[in-house]
């Protein structure tokens, strides 16, 4: 992985936004960075080359959060040595297609620091949410998410219902990922 | 092109033609004039169906002339398409069978005709004759080959009985004559061969006849038998009635089949039939043998024939499976007493032949593996023969002592040889000695060899015990040799690496060969030294014990212990190593392997090691430890001194080895955290060490154990890199160890090391004032997840004697977990894990809990469900995994509810078996009952369930299982439910009954019956339950209301007076016993019983084919 062109973990993702974890300790339903993107692991399996070979872990995951609707390149990298073989496939979340990656199970993978916060929706203006923070401040920098969830939020707001949205943040990006009516 | 409509139209024409009344004249005309095969076929079918349909109306003479017409028709047209000819012959067979019911027609005339056809010498005519016989046989066999002619099972059964006593024998005799005739011929041309093959197949069909016992009394079981025989015709053992004695006990018959096989064995198709005939003859048993003597004579003749056949030839690939079938049938059918009564010489040469065959099939099977053939005939044959060996030697006390030792040595040797690399073995060598070696991709779903080949390994292990004198030293020598070589090889690599530091240049070929050798040697050793009985206490196999005892006088105990205690040294370098106990030395060879592995990891050569070998080692050690460690002398009649001195209770040897195993476990867990399977096998070894109190007592004396506990409690590397399942099991082991015998101070200290840090860290964390703010920090989340995982592991460690303390420990956490539910309400992965903790606790503990403790658990579960419901109602998520997450939550919740309910069936806390009765009397003051929790839980689950979610089969199943449980256990609670809940419950039931699988609707019906009873008990007609139940009953009763009508119809359809009476009586007794329909258990049982009798009585009449 010495080739700088193949390094996907840097960029706007600062060092503190992720932490390393050995492949084998990752868990299904947990998070991992694939191709510089925070992902949720939906499937994990191991395989080895030859009966006496060492295990590799195969991930199958979706982007865990809404990102812009761009297509991620499909890239394959093959190294000669058995234990350094990497093979990744990544596709955008909106097509609901899968990300795949193979790496030796001894390797460390980056895990994104993720944070979820619930905010009350106080207003929607020009496609932006106004959210009330815990300390009473209001932030207005989050877009209404695309798709069904966004429509749900807008129609609820139009009907005058009070609701909480869950905002997920990871690696410097943020997005509303869930909505729930306020409990009285 | 023909369009779909045209096709349907054409089909319709044929179908209605086949239903037309008395089509005989038309059909005859068609048969005589039409040139279209398909039309001829349909005409034949029409005749067959019409004869069966209009039987009563037809004159006997016209039926006979019809038969003659059909037979003459096929005779005169040798060029008919095969399927047309067979259909016409089928029509003949069906007519004959139908005629046999009122005895208007019998087979005699047909047989007469057939024998004339056969003697004609014309191959075409002879083939036709064979087809006639085959058609008759298929019809009368009452199997799945039989046509559907709308008659009762009883009719089919009695036809079959009559047929097998007389006509079947006649067919067999005719067949034998033909085969004899052919076997005498010198040169068979292709056409003749074909005829030969037909008759051979026919003979096979006769010998595979599923004979019915000759009595005429029908039992319920027999009705089932009828139905079953319509389904299966495979693997029938030959069990002819006594009347077949003259036919089948005639040696000439058996000789004929040997002769036939010799003649045609190069033709693989025919050889299959002839070998199958012989295999059927080898499976013969039952009343055909008047006494054991007859059986002995028969077996001796069979064996002689078999030996003559095999010894003179080189076996073809296509013969392997057939021959092994003969041998396997013979060994499993004939009783030991008959086998032992055989002339010594004959038996010896049989065993000798079996040995050679086994070895040779084994070698060919190995070749097949190398060539990666699709069709593994030799592997199949080899499996069969190994199975035969197992049958033979498992009761070897019947045979002369030691008679299997030499054969066992040979089979064992050849197995080892096939699995070792050259030059000692032949693994991966093709027939001309070329090595082939391919690295293939192996995924986690592929079974490990120890499971994949468990049957083979069990047989080989058993043979190894029989010949322990040879096999144990052999395995030891080979393993010690490989370990020494592995050690040397690794050292060379290390030097090489230090010189060049490029791991890419290492050639793994030599290493992989060594690993594969060691892999098989350890597997065989494991299967030889110990069994793996599920649930029972495994014992040292008597052969191994005897072997060790026999040599104990020549053994020097001290040297043995020295050998055992120095796994780092070469075994042969220890002075006097030849005077050591061989069983211990084999174990110590595995320990030496383990030591080389451990040292390599310390020298940073892990990359070069084989995780597979690592797995083999801990697998072996676990299997060994279960059986040998702290061997209990009370379980054995006699015990070997070396074994009891080395591994007995209170011995230094046992202590040493426990320490050694612990060290191995610790080393593995730190080095192999990236190999999930190996790490898993390793913690399983650890669980084995502590799950038995006696072993745990020694374990907790080891310093390493305490270190492990401390290290795990501190969540420091490397243990925290293990996968979550491994961490759970590790926690389980640590808790189990805590219940070993320790003085109270030590015990206190142990818990202070193991459980208290967990609690402390957790409490410190959640009690921080700003917990709500920091809860999303990564370190905090990890700490929480690790704690939850550990709780699952603790719950898994529950045993009856530790439940009290574990329960109160876990209860504290459970309450805090509810708070966590609130804090992490928007983190589905954490919520899921929290529910899992509750599921585990309920699963492992509820059955041991007394009333107050269960109450506590019910309450906390109830709160959990309330919080979950509050946080998830109306929640919408964006990501694609949302549905999957919710599905997992709901599945867990239902599992939790089912676990709570299970208290009602399985309850170890109270010896009183009527738990419910006792509960009703004393439970008046109870705050919460299982019913309340579960119903409340259902109340929560129901709104979250959607029809889409029910499409997950496991969820759907779990959901309906839960509902049914509730209705069965608390029918009295159902009417008291809140209206909404009641409604949705009823909706679910209706949905389950109408639009789910049959399994689900059965569950729903099961749920309905207690509800109906509940209604009957209370006698209140206006309750919603009554109304709902009536609704369902009405749905079902629409069918059942026609019951009496159905009876009438059935009765009026029966023209036969005897059967009419039988049916009428049967129906009367069925209904008489069950009126009036009260609801106590006795009545139900009585009704079930009479229903069963009813089925037995008339089932044979009513089942129609």
């Amino acid at each position: 992985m010495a080739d700088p062109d193949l390094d996907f973990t840097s960029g706007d993702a600062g060092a503190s936004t992720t932490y390393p974890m050995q492949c084998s300790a990752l868990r299904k339903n947990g998070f991992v960075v694939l191709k510089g993107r925070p992902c949720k692991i939906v499937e994990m399996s191991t395989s080895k080359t030859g009966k006496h070979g060492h295990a590799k872990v195969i991930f199958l995951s979706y982007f865990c959060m809404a990102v812009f609707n761009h297509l991620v390149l499909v890239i394959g990298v093959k190294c000669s040595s058995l234990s350094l073989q990497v093979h990744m496939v990544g596709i955008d979340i909106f097509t609901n297609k899968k990300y795949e990656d193979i790496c030796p199970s001894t390797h460390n993978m980056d895990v994104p620091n993720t944070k979820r916060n619930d905010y009350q929706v106080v207003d929607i203006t020009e496609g932006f949410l106004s959210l009330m923070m815990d300390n009473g401040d209001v932030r207005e920098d989050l877009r209404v998410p695309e798709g069904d969830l966004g429509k749900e939020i807008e129609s609820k707001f139009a009907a005058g219902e009070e609701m909480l949205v869950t905002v997920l943040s990871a690696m410097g990006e943020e997005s509303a990922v869930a909505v729930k009516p306020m409990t009285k | 092109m023909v369009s779909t409509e045209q096709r349907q139209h054409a089909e319709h024409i044929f179908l209605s033609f086949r239903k037309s009344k008395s089509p005989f004249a038309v059909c005859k005309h068609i048969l005589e004039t039409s040139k279209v095969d398909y039309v001829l076929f349909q005409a034949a079918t029409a005749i067959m169906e019409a004869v069966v349909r209009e039987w009563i109306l037809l004159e006997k003479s016209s039926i006979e002339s019809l038969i003659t017409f059909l037979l003459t028709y096929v005779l005169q047209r040798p060029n008919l398409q095969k399927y047309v000819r067979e259909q016409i012959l089928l029509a003949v067979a069906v007519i004959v069978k139908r005629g046999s019911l009122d005895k208007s027609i019998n087979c005699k005339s047909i047989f007469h005709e057939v024998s004339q056809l056969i003697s004609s010498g014309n191959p075409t005519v002879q083939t036709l004759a064979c087809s006639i016989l085959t058609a008759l046989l298929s019809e009368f066999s009452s199997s799945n080959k039989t046509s559907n002619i709308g008659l009762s099972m009883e009719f089919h059964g009695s036809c079959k009985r009559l047929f097998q006593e007389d006509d079947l024998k006649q067919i067999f005799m005719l067949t034998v004559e033909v085969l004899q005739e052919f076997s005498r011929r010198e040169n068979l041309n292709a056409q003749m061969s074909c005829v030969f093959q037909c008759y051979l197949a026919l003979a096979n069909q006769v010998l595979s006849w599923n004979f019915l016992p000759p009595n005429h009394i029908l039992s319920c079981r027999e009705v089932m038998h009828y139905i079953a025989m319509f389904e299966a015709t495979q693997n029938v053992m030959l069990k002819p009635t006594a009347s077949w004695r003259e036919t089948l006990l005639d040696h000439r018959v058996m000789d004929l089949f040997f002769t036939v096989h010799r003649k045609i064995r190069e033709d693989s198709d025919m050889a299959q039939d002839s070998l199958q005939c012989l295999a059927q003859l080898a499976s013969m048993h039952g009343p055909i043998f008047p006494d054991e003597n007859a059986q002995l004579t028969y077996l001796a003749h069979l064996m002689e024939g078999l030996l003559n056949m095999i010894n003179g030839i080189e076996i073809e690939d296509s013969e392997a499976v057939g021959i092994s079938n003969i041998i396997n049938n013979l060994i499993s059918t004939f009783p030991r007493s008959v086998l032992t009564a055989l002339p010594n010489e004959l038996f010896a040469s049989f065993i000798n032949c079996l040995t050679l065959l086994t070895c040779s099939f084994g070698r060919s099977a190995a070749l097949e593996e190398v060539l990666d053939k699709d069709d593994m005939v030799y592997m199949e044959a080899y499996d069969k023969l190994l199975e035969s060996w197992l049958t033979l030697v498992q009761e070897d006390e019947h045979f002369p002592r030691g008679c299997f030792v030499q054969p066992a040595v040979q089979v064992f040797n050849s197995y080892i040889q096939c699995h070792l690399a050259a030059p000692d073995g032949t693994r991966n060598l093709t027939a001309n000695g070329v090595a082939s070696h391919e690295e293939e991709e192996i995924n986690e779903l592929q079974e490990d060899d120890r499971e994949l080949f468990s049957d083979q390994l069990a047989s080989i292990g058993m043979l190894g015990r029989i010949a322990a004198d040879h096999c144990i030293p052999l395995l030891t020598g080979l393993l010690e040799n490989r370990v020494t070589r592995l050690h040397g090889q690794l050292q060379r690599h290390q030097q090489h690496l230090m010189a060049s530091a490029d791991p890419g240049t290492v050639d793994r070929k030599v290493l992989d060969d060594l690993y594969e050798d060691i892999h098989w040697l350890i597997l065989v050793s494991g299967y030889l030294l110990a069994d793996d009985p599920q649930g029972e206490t495994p014992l040292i196999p008597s052969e191994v014990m005897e072997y060790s005892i026999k040599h104990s006088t020549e053994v020097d105990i001290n040297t043995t212990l020295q050998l055992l205690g120095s796994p780092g040294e070469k075994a042969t370098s220890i002075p006097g190593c030849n005077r050591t106990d061989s069983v211990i030395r084999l174990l110590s060879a595995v320990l030496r392997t383990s030591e080389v592995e451990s040292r390599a990891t310390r020298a940073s050569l892990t990359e070069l090691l084989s995780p597979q070998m690592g797995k083999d080692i801990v697998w072996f050690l676990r299997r060994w430890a279960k059986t040998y460690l702290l061997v209990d002398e009370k379980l054995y009649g006699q015990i070997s001194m070396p074994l009891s001195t080395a591994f007995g209770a209170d011995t230094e040897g046992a202590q040493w080895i426990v320490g050694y195993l612990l060290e191995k476990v610790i080393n593995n867990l730190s080095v192999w955290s990236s190999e999930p399977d190996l790490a898993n096998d390793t913690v399983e070894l650890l669980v084995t060490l502590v799950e038995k109190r006696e072993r745990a007592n020694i374990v907790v004396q080891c310093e390493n154990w305490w270190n492990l506990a401390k290290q795990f409690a501190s969540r420091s590397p490397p243990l925290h890199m293990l996968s979550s399942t491994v961490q759970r099991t590790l926690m389980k082991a640590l808790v189990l160890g805590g219940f070993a015998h320790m003085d109270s101070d030590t015990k206190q200290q142990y818990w202070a090391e193991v459980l208290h840090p967990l609690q402390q860290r957790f409490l410190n964390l959640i009690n921080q004032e700003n917990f709500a703010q920091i809860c999303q920090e990564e370190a905090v989340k990890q700490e929480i997840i690790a704690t939850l995982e550990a709780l699952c592991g603790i719950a898994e460690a529950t045993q009856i004697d530790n439940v009290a303390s574990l329960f109160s420990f876990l209860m504290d956490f459970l309450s805090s977990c509810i708070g966590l539910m609130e804090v992490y309400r928007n983190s589905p992965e954490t919520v899921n894990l929290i529910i899992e903790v509750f599921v585990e606790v309920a699963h492992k503990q509820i059955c041991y809990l007394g009333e107050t403790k269960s109450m506590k658990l019910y309450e906390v579960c109830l709160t959990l469900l309330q919080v979950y419901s509050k946080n998830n109602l109306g929640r919408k998520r964006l990501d694609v995994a949302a549905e999957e997450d919710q599905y997992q939550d709901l599945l867990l919740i239902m599992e939790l509810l089912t676990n709570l309910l299970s208290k009602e069936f399985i309850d170890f806390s109270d010896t009183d078996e009527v738990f419910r009765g006792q509960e009703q009397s004393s439970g008046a003051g109870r705050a919460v009952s299982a019913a309340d929790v579960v119903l409340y839980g259902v109340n929560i689950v129901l709104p979250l369930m959607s029809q889409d979610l029910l499409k997950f089969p496991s969820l759907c199943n779990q959901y309906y299982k839960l509902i049914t449980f509730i209705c069965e256990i608390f029918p009295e609670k159902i009417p008291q439910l809140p209206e909404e809940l009641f409604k949705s419950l009823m909706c679910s039931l209706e949905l389950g009954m109408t639009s789910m699988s049959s399994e689900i609707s059965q569950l729903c019906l099961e749920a309905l019956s207690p509800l109906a009873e509940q209604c009957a008990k209370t006698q209140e007609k206006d309750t919603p339950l009554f109304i709902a139940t009536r609704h369902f009953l009405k749905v079902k009763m629409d069918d059942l209301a026609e019951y009496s009508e159905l009876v009438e119809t059935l009765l009026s359809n029966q023209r036969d007076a005897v059967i009419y009476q039988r049916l009428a009586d049967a129906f009367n007794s069925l209904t008489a016993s069950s009126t009036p329909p009260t609801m106590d258990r006795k009545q139900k049982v009585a009704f079930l019983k009479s229903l069963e009798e009813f089925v037995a009585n008339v089932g044979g009449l009513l089942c129609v084919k």
Side-chain angles (χ1 to χ4, degrees), chain B residues 793-969:
Chain B
I794 294 171
E796 271 178 45
T798 305
Q799 290 176 342
I800 189 156
D801 48 1
N802 65 18
V803 66
S805 47
L806 286 187
F807 177 74
S808 35
F809 179 79
L810 286 170
M811 263 323 273
D812 294 343
F813 276 97
L814 292 188
S815 329
S816 318
C817 281
I818 307 254
L820 286 183
M821 264 315 246
E822 196 63 69
V823 172
Y824 287 103
R825 60 182 178 274
N826 52 22
S827 308
E829 60 281 354
T830 315
V831 168
N832 198 271
L833 195 55
I834 294 174
I835 307 176
E836 206 177 337
V837 173
F838 281 75
V839 171
E840 279 300 323
V841 173
H843 175 56
K844 289 288 180 183
Q845 303 204 326
I846 187 100
C847 60
Y848 300 121
L849 299 181
E851 197 173 298
T852 33
K853 287 193 169 133
S854 327
M855 201 72 59
K856 275 188 171 168
L857 187 58
Y858 292 152
E859 276 163 16
V860 71
C861 288
L862 195 62
T863 323
L864 172 89
L865 295 174
Q866 283 163 340
V867 173
Y868 180 83
S869 149
K870 179 171 74 82
N871 288 333
N872 284 280
L873 262 183
R875 191 175 174 80
K876 272 253 155 60
R877 282 170 54 190
L878 168 138
D879 50 328
V880 279
E883 196 182 33
E884 168 97 12
D885 278 341
Q886 185 160 40
Y887 152 71
Q888 280 171 355
D889 287 348
L890 287 178
L891 194 60
L892 281 175
I893 290 180
M894 276 187 266
E895 230 173 276
L896 174 65
L897 296 177
T898 315
N899 286 343
L900 292 180
L901 266 186
S902 71
K903 178 80 173 166
E904 304 291 322
F905 323 116
I906 310 163
D907 189 2
F908 301 129
S909 71
D910 198 330
T911 43
D912 192 349
E913 66 165 26
V914 201
F915 179 73
R916 276 180 65 198
Q918 187 224 13
E919 179 195 64
Q920 272 156 3
S921 60
S922 72
R926 285 176 54 158
V928 191
S929 75
D932 293 328
V933 184
V934 172
L935 285 174
Y936 187 85
V938 173
N939 201 2
I940 289 167
V941 173
L942 272 178
L944 297 172
M945 288 294 284
S946 64
Q947 288 224 28
D948 276 344
L949 278 173
L950 278 180
K951 280 175 191 150
F952 288 101
S954 51
L955 187 65
C956 182
N957 232 325
Q958 188 79 31
Y959 176 65
Y960 278 105
K961 221 194 280 171
L962 181 65
I963 292 191
T964 306
F965 272 0
I966 295 171
C967 293
E968 275 179 355
I969 305 174

Side-chain angles (χ1 to χ4, degrees), chain B residues 9 148 244 256 304 311 520 546 598 722 803 830 838 1013 1070:
Chain B
H9 183 65
N148 196 338
W244 279 73
L256 172 67
E304 275 163 16
N311 286 336
W520 287 108
E546 275 163 33
S598 300
L722 294 164
V803 66
T830 315
F838 281 75
E1013 272 176 48
L1070 176 68

